[in-house]
Amino acid sequence: MQQQYEWIATAAFGLEGVVARELGRLGIEAKAENGGARFTGTPEDALRANLWLRSADRVLLVMGRFEARSFEALFEGVRALPWEAFIGVNTRFPVSGKCARSQLMSVRDCQAITKKAVVERLKEKYRVSWFEEQGETVAIDVALHGDIAQLTLDASGVALNRRGYRTWNGEAPLRETLAAALVSLSPWRPGMPLHDPMCGTGTLLIEAAMRMADRAPGLTRDFALEQWRGMPAPAFAAIREEAKERFSPERIEGISGADIDPQAVELARRHLRQAGLEGRIRFDVADARTCQRPESSGVFLSNPPYGERLSDRKSCEALYKEMGQLLRRHPGWSLCAITSHPGFERCFGRRADKKRRFYNGRLECEFMTFGAPQGSRRKPSPRQP
C-alpha cells in the first residue's frame, strides 16, 4: 500500500466547506477548517485534488507541525523532518513564511532559519556541502500561528484558479475558484436553464459549462508535485488520461449570457474558445433591463456592478431595481447575485431567501439567492465536483 500523507486544500474565507464537499465527491474524506480542508491521502489523491477541485486555491503537503517558542526550537523541528524524500541534490527549494500571534514575529528570520535547517538536513543525507538549486522547484512554506509551526510543500505551483482559459479580464474580474463555488451554491444543476444577464467576460458561465461537461478545471495545466522526486509518474499519467476521457462538451446545453458591452462579450467568446468549449454557450450583446427568457423556469446567476465609486452608485442601484423586476417577469426562475453593496435587497425590492458571505478580492460580499425554480427539468450530475 502506498504511503499516506497529510494534505491541505486551501480556500478563501467561506469556501472551506465547499472544498471539503468537493473532496468528498472525489472519494477523499476531508475536514473543513479555517483556510481550507485537511485530508489524508496518497500522491495520486493529491493529483486528483489538483485536477478536479473547482473552488480551492492550492493543495499543500503537510511536512510537520510542532511547537516553536524559540528560533532554536524552530531550527531543530525543521531539521528533524524528512526533506530528502522530496528534495534532491539539484532541487530548488525557496522558503516563504508568515507569522501570526507568535513569539517569533520576524518572518524573514523564520524563513532564513528554516532554509538553514533544511540545508543542514540535506547535507547529512547527501554528504555534500553545497546545493546548486538548478533543478525542479519544491516550494517550502513555514507558517507560525500561536507558537505552532507548520511546514508545508506547495503541490500546486501556480494557484488553482489559473485554469488557462482566461487571458483577458474585464473591469471587475471574478476569480475562477469563487465563480465555481457560486455555481455550486446556486440552485442551478446541469439540465436546468442558466442565464447571466450581465456576463462580463463569461467566467461564471464557463465554470458552469465545465462542470456540465465533466471537464477537470486543471486539465490543461501542470502541477508542482508532478516534478517532485519519488512521485508515481505512470499513475499520474493514467489519472490525467482518465480526466481527458471524461471531458464531454456535447453535454452542455441551456447555458447563455449577455452583456451590454460588446468588448466584454467578445472576450467571453475568446475565453470560451480557450476553454475548449467554443459554440457551447451563447453570448449576446444585450441590455439586462430588456432580458426576457422563453423558458418557464431556470436560474439567473450574475456578478453585477457593485457601485464602489459614488458616481456609479445611483446607476447601480437603478440596475438592482431592474434585476428585481427581471425576477418578477420570470416567476418560475430564481436569481442569484454576489454584491458588496449594503443596500442591494432594498433596491431589489425584497429580502433574499438565502445569503452567504464571501470575499471577492478584498471586498466583503454577500451571495444572495432570491426565489427557487419550480418544475425544472433535471439531469443526473456528472460524477465530479
Side-chain angles (χ1 to χ4, degrees):
M1 182 176 178
Q2 191 169 353
Q3 186 173 353
Q4 302 271 316
Y5 299 94
E6 185 178 2
W7 309 85
I8 301 172
T10 67
F13 169 80
L15 300 185
E16 298 94 340
V18 176
V19 171
R21 288 192 292 274
E22 290 182 1
L23 285 164
R25 288 193 287 269
L26 289 172
I28 300 171
E29 186 177 347
K31 183 178 181 181
E33 59 180 40
N34 286 338
R38 194 176 294 259
F39 64 98
T40 299
T42 63
E44 289 94 330
D45 291 327
L47 180 64
R48 289 190 186 94
N50 272 304
L51 267 173
W52 287 100
L53 287 180
R54 300 186 182 279
S55 305
D57 292 332
R58 293 181 184 276
V59 176
L60 307 177
L61 168 62
V62 180
M63 289 294 293
R65 298 177 78 248
F66 53 87
E67 188 175 77
R69 294 179 178 273
S70 67
F71 289 126
E72 182 180 359
L74 176 63
F75 180 87
E76 294 300 335
V78 172
R79 188 169 65 171
L81 299 176
W83 301 103
E84 66 278 3
F86 304 98
I87 298 176
V89 176
N90 296 314
T91 304
R92 291 183 65 251
F93 48 102
V95 178
S96 59
K98 48 187 172 287
C99 300
R101 294 194 292 275
S102 169
Q103 293 187 45
L104 309 181
M105 285 303 295
S106 170
V107 175
R108 180 176 295 181
D109 287 343
C110 290
Q111 289 175 254
I113 287 168
T114 297
K115 181 80 172 188
K116 183 178 179 181
V118 175
V119 168
E120 291 303 313
R121 169 84 182 201
L122 296 178
K123 279 182 179 180
E124 266 181 45
K125 296 298 177 180
Y126 294 127
R127 301 194 181 280
V128 298
S129 60
W130 183 259
F131 294 91
E132 295 291 343
E133 297 193 51
Q134 295 178 346
E136 74 283 356
T137 298
V138 175
I140 301 171
D141 183 76
V142 53
L144 285 105
H145 188 273
D147 298 322
I148 298 297
Q150 178 169 269
L151 279 295
T152 58
L153 302 182
D154 182 359
S156 298
V158 177
L160 296 181
N161 69 290
R162 303 296 293 272
R163 321 284 209 218
Y165 69 79
R166 194 171 78 172
T167 52
W168 298 274
N169 291 322
E171 269 188 38
L174 190 67
R175 182 173 287 194
E176 296 90 329
T177 44
L178 177 57
L182 300 185
V183 169
S184 177
L185 292 168
S186 77
W188 177 81
R189 295 296 178 266
M192 298 166 58
L194 177 68
H195 184 74
D196 185 348
M198 290 162 278
C199 68
T201 59
T203 306
L204 277 166
L205 297 179
I206 292 173
E207 290 296 323
M210 291 203 300
R211 177 180 171 182
M212 198 171 191
D214 205 10
R215 181 195 185 278
L219 187 63
T220 61
R221 54 160 291 181
D222 298 324
F223 304 102
L225 85 164
E226 293 177 280
Q227 301 301 316
W228 292 357
R229 69 193 307 252
M231 292 295 101
F236 281 3
I239 291 168
R240 280 193 169 277
E241 189 58 34
E242 181 196 15
K244 290 177 183 177
E245 291 174 358
R246 285 172 58 172
F247 178 32
S248 303
E250 66 277 2
R251 292 178 179 169
I252 301 170
E253 62 175 346
I255 300 178
S256 59
D259 199 278
I260 198 169
D261 181 359
Q263 187 176 19
V265 172
E266 177 57 31
L267 291 179
R269 290 169 181 161
R270 290 189 196 180
H271 292 163
L272 188 66
R273 183 166 59 251
Q274 293 189 162
L277 303 173
E278 186 172 12
R280 300 294 176 176
I281 300 174
R282 178 171 177 172
F283 288 113
D284 293 315
V285 178
D287 191 331
R289 293 171 294 186
T290 61
C291 176
Q292 185 69 51
R293 301 301 303 172
E295 303 92 345
S296 60
S297 63
V299 176
F300 294 112
L301 178 62
S302 193
N303 174 33
Y306 298 167
E308 293 174 69
R309 293 190 294 258
L310 287 175
S311 58
D312 297 334
R313 181 157 296 188
K314 286 189 177 180
S315 61
C316 284
E317 290 177 349
L319 179 60
Y320 303 157
K321 182 177 179 181
E322 293 286 349
M323 291 175 71
Q325 294 174 1
L326 170 65
L327 185 59
R328 286 188 282 276
R329 291 198 303 271
H330 297 81
W333 284 61
S334 64
L335 186 147
C336 304
I338 183 170
T339 180
S340 66
H341 194 296
F344 185 91
E345 290 169 293
R346 172 181 53 80
C347 300
F348 190 88
R350 58 175 279 191
R351 298 184 71 86
D353 295 290
K354 292 182 181 179
K355 289 196 284 189
R356 294 275 300 252
R357 186 166 296 176
F358 299 109
Y359 279 89
N360 183 9
R362 295 183 178 182
L363 289 176
E364 185 176 343
C365 298
E366 284 189 309
F367 181 56
M368 304 185 188
T369 300
F370 300 86
Q374 301 294 322
S376 301
R377 179 172 59 89
R378 293 178 180 238
K379 292 183 178 179
S381 299
R383 52 185 180 92
Q384 49 86 37

